[in-house]
Every structure is written in structure tokens, then in C-alpha cells.
Amino acid sequence: MLKNIHFVIFRFDSKNDYLPYYKDYFLDVKKEQTLLEILKQIRIDDPFLSFDENENACIKINQKTIFLGVKLSEIINEFGTKLTLEPLSFKRAVNDLIINHNDFDDKFLLFKDIALQEDRKYYDKLINIYYASNMTSYNTSYIGDSACLFAEYLLNKYPNKKEEILSILADEKSGIWYHTNTSNKIFQDIENTENRIFALFDEIINHKPFINDFIKTQTTRLSNETM
Amino acid sequence: MILSKLKQQGLVMKQCNIFKSLIKNLNQEPFLSSFALLDKLKIQTNLIDSKNDIGFDDRKFNPKFYDEIFTKALNENIEVLALEDSSYEGLCFVLKKYKLNSKIYHINEILYQNYKNLSINKSFKNFNICLYGNFFTNLTQEILTSFDANIIQAPYENCGYFLKHINPEIAYKMASDILFNAYDSGCDFMIVSDIRAFDMLKAYKELKKANGRDIDLEVYTLSEALLLLCGEDWDLITAKHKSKK
């Protein structure tokens, strides 16, 4: 049993609140409990607390994205005993830890002519990757890191669609160029995001003929700089 | 630590690489100030003047560059010292990729092991210092708090450098958010350990344009901060500090 663990939870109801606030909870918990079980435990005393009751749902803990199915022992091992729980996106917060993730869903449509419905399951697993990056708050058209990983998955599955997939990734306004390193923003990144996106960059830059004029310009610039 | 053992044996780093011409047109002086500090600490270093200058810019790294450095390092058994984050990141990346055994040090790691040997008679009492960096920030924090600084740890957000040539508007907006958040949290100056971030955070004109606000917040490297504590340019920093209060 772990005594007096400090949870600080983001509270906000988009229908009633003008500003969010944080509420403190001190709990005695078991190491093997999951984050989801902890939230359910908190809700016994605070019935208005909202969260997705699903181990595959995702929130942020101490600014890192994390699935609710993670065990507390692993969390405390990384962050210590003061844990701040927030929704994946402040801007998209609807009710406490629940967000409206239409923007994440919409990015799947970019691949509607390539991916099958069965591929959607993999895309949905990447929600923690999408919201780990803050780039979409600067550039709403950015496809998202999740879409980059999804594109790589599709490239392996449908090699005959390579040109179409690479042109989505290589788009000047919304493409992979807008990826920022999120390795310190994802708790246990099982997707190996940075290395996979790095390899995709290489593939795009080295693809001949150039996928578009923008890639040609950028590749030339980079080559000149490294001469 | 390996370095301490080497020093006990009377050995010092034979050679270090600082990416002398790291990224074209960037201000390298603050990072070169580490040499003055290493001199004070009597840590002998040599410079590898690499012509292939770039380690990690945007999304492309130059494997030839690293091959040269590491072939040399392996052949001559040298240790490599990176004076800032981007070179450290790039060197570690290649070390892992090519499964090499060379030892890479980050300057802040070395300063942590040795800062107590400096003759320091100043303190950062009543200074709020914001740290921006991705490596060894805990060590940087420990050094500065030992001189009474109050540390404000900035959440590590990308500085936008990689977008500078693609979408400068967004790039400078990202950098300005970092700088203005630090300023708004009451910080007196920032300590930055990445040459790319340094370049972005010192571009006051562009940052002002991106944010619509003027700002006067100095950005230093850890080496510069330690030199300040040694008394160099101390009047300059305290004058700024007083004018802000």
C-alpha cells in the first residue's frame, strides 16, 4: 500500500465554467492499481469527476501522455508521488479529463482512399502520439505525428500505394516537416515514434523523382548546408 | 565517473570536439565561452575543426561528418566533448546507430563534476533563472541552486529552429512563447544549452513581431553564468537585475 499519494486533477466543464481549476486529492493506493482504477476510486467521493472509462483512453500525467491502463507502480517510479492529471488538450477539454478529439479523427480521413476500416484500429491506438505534440496548436492543418506513424504502417501494408502515401506526408503546409521531437512527452513510447519518423524523413528526402517541388527545394538547401 | 578516474591518473581529455562551425551563421560565442571555463578548471582540450559542420539540422544529419569524427576518435582513443545539446544529441544518435564505444560528454556534465574547483565569490541570490534544455538540466539546476539561484524549470517545448526555413512565422511564434512564458513567470534571465534554441531566443526583433510585445530578457549558457559568478561582467548582469526590480 502506498500512503498519501498526491493527485492534482484538472477540472473544467465547458458548459458551465469560464476557466479551469485544479483539485487536490490525497489517497492511499495499491501499487498494482491502474490509473483507471484510481480515477474510479476518486469518483466514489467526487461523483462529478469525468473521464473515459476505458483502459485505452488517454490523458496527460505530469505533461506526458499516458494510457489509463498503466499501473501506478510504473507511474510513481517515473514521476514520484505528486501526480498532475490533465486532459490531452486544454483547448479541446469538454469535461474534466474528457476532450473532443474530432481533430484527431478528422486526420484519419486523409487516408480514406488508402486505408480500410480495419486499419482504423491501429490509428486509434495512436491518440497519445497525436496529442503529445503541441504543433497542432500552431498549425491546425498539420497531419499529426500519429498520421506519420500511420502512414508508415500503411506503407508496409500497401506498398503499391507508396506514391499516394508519401505525397500526404510530403505536403508543404501540413506534412511531416512539422513534426517536433516528443520523446519527453510520451510515457513509455512503445511506438518508437522518433526513430520511425526520422526514417520516414529519410525516405521522403531520398525518394527520386522528388515527390514535389517543395521537397526538391528543401533537399537542395539541406545538401548545400552540409557540404 | 570515468573523467574523475582519468584525472586521478593524471590524464585529461586528449581532444574535444565543439563543432567549431556548428551551424552556419549562428552565434557560437556563448558556447565558446566554455573554453575559458575549461581553462580555469585546467581541463586540457583540443579543437577538432570539422569542415563538415552540421550534425543535426532540420531532419537531416550528415553521416560523413560523424564517420570522420568517430573514425578519428576510435583510432586515436579520444573522448568527445559536446558544448551544446544539438551536437550532443547528434553524436549520441550516431554512437547508438553505429554501435560505437567512444565516450561523449556534455559540457554541463563536465561542469557539474568540476564547478566546485572554480574560484567563485558571487551568488545568484534573489535571481530567478529559467532553464531551457533537454540534457542534464537536473545537474544544471543543482549547480545554480548551490549559488542560491531560484530555478524556474520551463516545460521543454521545441524552439522552432527546425521550421525557420520552412515556416518562419510559426518558428518564431514557438520561440517567442518560450521566451515570453519565462519572462511572465518572473525570470531574470534564461540559461540555454542548445545553439539552435539560443539562435531563436536571441532573435528579439522577430520574436517581438511574432508576439506583438517587446522584451528584454537575457539568454546565457551555463558556462557564461559560471563565468559571471567568477566575476566576469558581473556589473552588467546586476545592473540589468536591478533595473528590472
Side-chain angles (χ1 to χ4, degrees):
Chain A
M1 181 70 86
L2 298 163
K3 298 273 183 192
N4 215 29
I5 304 299
H6 187 183
F7 294 90
V8 184
I9 303 185
F10 176 95
R11 304 300 300 267
F12 178 66
D13 180 351
S14 59
K15 286 182 185 162
N16 299 314
D17 297 334
Y18 181 64
L19 287 172
Y21 62 99
Y22 288 82
K23 196 168 172 181
D24 295 289
Y25 303 84
F26 294 88
L27 262 75
D28 295 342
V29 294
K30 290 175 189 158
K31 275 184 179 180
E32 63 272 18
Q33 276 184 288
T34 63
L35 202 46
L36 180 61
E37 287 166 341
I38 300 291
L39 287 169
K40 284 180 179 172
Q41 188 180 330
I42 291 172
R43 199 168 54 186
I44 294 170
D45 294 326
D46 188 347
F48 295 107
L49 176 67
S50 294
F51 52 91
D52 267 338
E53 288 191 46
N54 177 356
E55 289 204 330
N56 296 320
C58 199
I59 61 167
K60 280 188 181 174
I61 241 184
N62 294 18
Q63 301 186 356
K64 288 192 178 191
T65 59
I66 189 167
F67 289 103
L68 295 188
V70 176
K71 285 196 167 65
L72 202 64
S73 53
E74 297 172 68
I75 297 169
I76 288 177
N77 197 29
E78 165 121 3
F79 299 114
T81 54
K82 185 179 178 184
L83 305 169
T84 303
L85 281 59
E86 292 168 318
L88 286 172
S89 162
F90 293 150
K91 280 185 181 174
R92 306 194 67 85
V94 176
N95 204 349
D96 301 334
L97 301 175
I98 298 175
I99 64 161
N100 171 333
H101 48 73
N102 286 350
D103 59 334
F104 169 71
D105 296 339
D106 288 348
K107 302 287 163 67
F108 178 79
L109 300 176
L110 292 163
F111 304 97
K112 66 181 189 309
D113 298 332
I114 303 163
L116 301 174
Q117 200 50 39
E118 66 190 42
D119 299 318
R120 176 69 197 236
K121 280 182 194 164
Y122 178 65
Y123 182 77
D124 286 343
K125 283 182 188 170
L126 301 171
I127 192 165
N128 64 324
I129 309 292
Y130 182 83
Y131 289 107
S133 169
N134 68 346
M135 182 47 73
T136 46
S137 61
Y138 291 100
N139 177 5
T140 51
S141 61
Y142 172 47
I143 58 174
D145 295 355
S146 48
C148 295
L149 296 185
F150 187 59
E152 189 230 36
Y153 160 90
L154 295 175
L155 278 169
N156 292 329
K157 193 169 176 187
Y158 310 112
N160 57 327
K161 303 276 176 87
K162 187 175 179 179
E163 305 299 316
E164 289 166 71
I165 297 167
L166 289 184
S167 15
I168 294 170
L169 286 171
D171 185 83
E172 178 181 354
K173 305 286 181 198
S174 62
I176 198 168
W177 296 93
Y178 288 90
H179 162 73
T180 55
N181 188 322
T182 53
S183 48
N184 61 348
K185 295 184 172 180
I186 301 167
F187 182 80
Q188 295 175 346
D189 181 13
I190 54 169
E191 294 295 336
N192 194 15
T193 305
E194 288 311 310
N195 286 344
R196 286 171 63 191
I197 293 185
F198 198 87
L200 273 177
F201 267 112
D202 256 6
E203 182 152 5
I204 290 167
I205 288 170
N206 295 321
H207 187 274
K208 298 289 179 310
F210 289 113
I211 301 163
N212 57 36
D213 288 345
F214 174 71
I215 299 295
K216 188 177 178 182
T217 314
Q218 292 304 320
T219 307
T220 311
R221 178 179 66 79
L222 288 169
S223 301
N224 289 339
E225 282 185 6
T226 53
M227 288 284 280
Chain B
M1 298 295 287
I2 296 170
L3 187 74
S4 320
K5 282 182 188 167
L6 288 171
K7 285 181 79 179
Q8 280 167 13
Q9 292 163 13
L11 299 171
V12 289
M13 245 178 283
K14 288 177 183 167
Q15 216 159 16
C16 81
N17 163 52
I18 68 141
F19 291 70
K20 188 179 178 189
S21 49
L22 179 70
I23 298 174
K24 283 171 191 166
N25 305 322
L26 295 192
N27 180 5
Q28 300 162 39
E29 286 304 318
F31 298 93
L32 295 178
S33 67
S34 298
F35 272 115
L37 212 51
L38 291 168
D39 264 355
K40 280 183 190 291
L41 291 166
K42 298 187 170 46
I43 296 176
Q44 188 191 335
T45 55
N46 291 309
L47 189 67
I48 295 173
D49 185 10
S50 173
K51 284 178 184 165
N52 285 320
D53 61 354
I54 206 128
F56 243 110
D57 181 25
D58 294 348
R59 298 293 175 235
K60 191 175 167 71
F61 81 99
N62 183 355
K64 278 185 189 169
F65 168 59
Y66 289 109
D67 282 350
E68 265 180 40
I69 296 279
F70 279 103
T71 309
K72 202 172 167 55
L74 289 169
N75 289 340
E76 298 176 18
N77 193 28
I78 66 170
E79 295 171 301
V80 181
L81 173 61
L83 292 192
E84 53 83 46
D85 287 359
S86 75
S87 40
Y88 182 78
E89 183 185 6
L91 289 162
C92 290
F93 177 86
V94 177
L95 205 66
K96 199 173 163 189
K97 186 179 169 81
Y98 296 112
K99 296 181 179 137
L100 298 169
N101 290 320
S102 297
K103 174 69 189 165
I104 310 295
Y105 293 102
H106 188 289
I107 183 69
N108 293 4
E109 199 182 0
I110 300 297
L111 294 178
Y112 178 76
Q113 290 168 8
N114 294 278
Y115 76 95
K116 286 177 183 163
N117 299 331
L118 289 167
S119 305
I120 288 178
N121 50 10
K122 310 280 183 189
S123 90
F124 281 136
K125 194 175 180 185
N126 297 326
F127 278 90
N128 295 321
I129 303 174
C130 185
L131 303 186
Y132 178 86
N134 205 14
F135 299 102
F136 303 106
T137 45
N138 54 338
L139 303 186
T140 308
Q141 179 162 345
E142 207 174 307
I143 295 173
L144 293 168
T145 48
S146 74
F147 297 108
D148 303 323
N150 180 36
I151 300 298
I152 300 169
Q153 184 70 61
Y156 188 74
E157 300 293 353
N158 194 292
C159 68
Y161 178 81
F162 72 106
L163 277 176
K164 200 173 150 185
H165 301 289
I166 296 167
N167 191 330
E169 198 180 321
I170 290 181
Y172 287 113
K173 181 73 178 87
M174 291 172 82
S176 74
D177 283 350
I178 292 169
L179 198 72
F180 281 92
N181 284 341
Y183 187 76
D184 291 341
S185 60
C187 145
D188 290 293
F189 62 85
M190 286 187 86
I191 300 276
V192 170
S193 54
D194 186 314
I195 195 168
R196 297 163 298 188
F198 198 88
D199 177 65
M200 294 300 288
L201 296 172
K202 293 282 272 187
Y204 296 126
K205 199 175 143 192
E206 286 82 0
L207 299 184
K208 182 184 171 186
K209 196 176 157 192
N211 214 296
R213 289 166 65 190
D214 209 350
I215 197 165
D216 179 20
L217 186 67
E218 285 299 333
V219 180
Y220 298 112
T221 63
L222 177 62
S223 298
E224 286 184 306
L226 287 172
L227 286 171
L228 288 167
L229 286 169
C230 290
E232 296 187 22
D233 290 332
W234 184 255
D235 293 343
L236 189 73
I237 187 174
T238 46
K240 281 215 171 212
H241 182 54
K242 280 174 191 162
S243 71
K244 200 181 165 195
K245 296 292 161 188

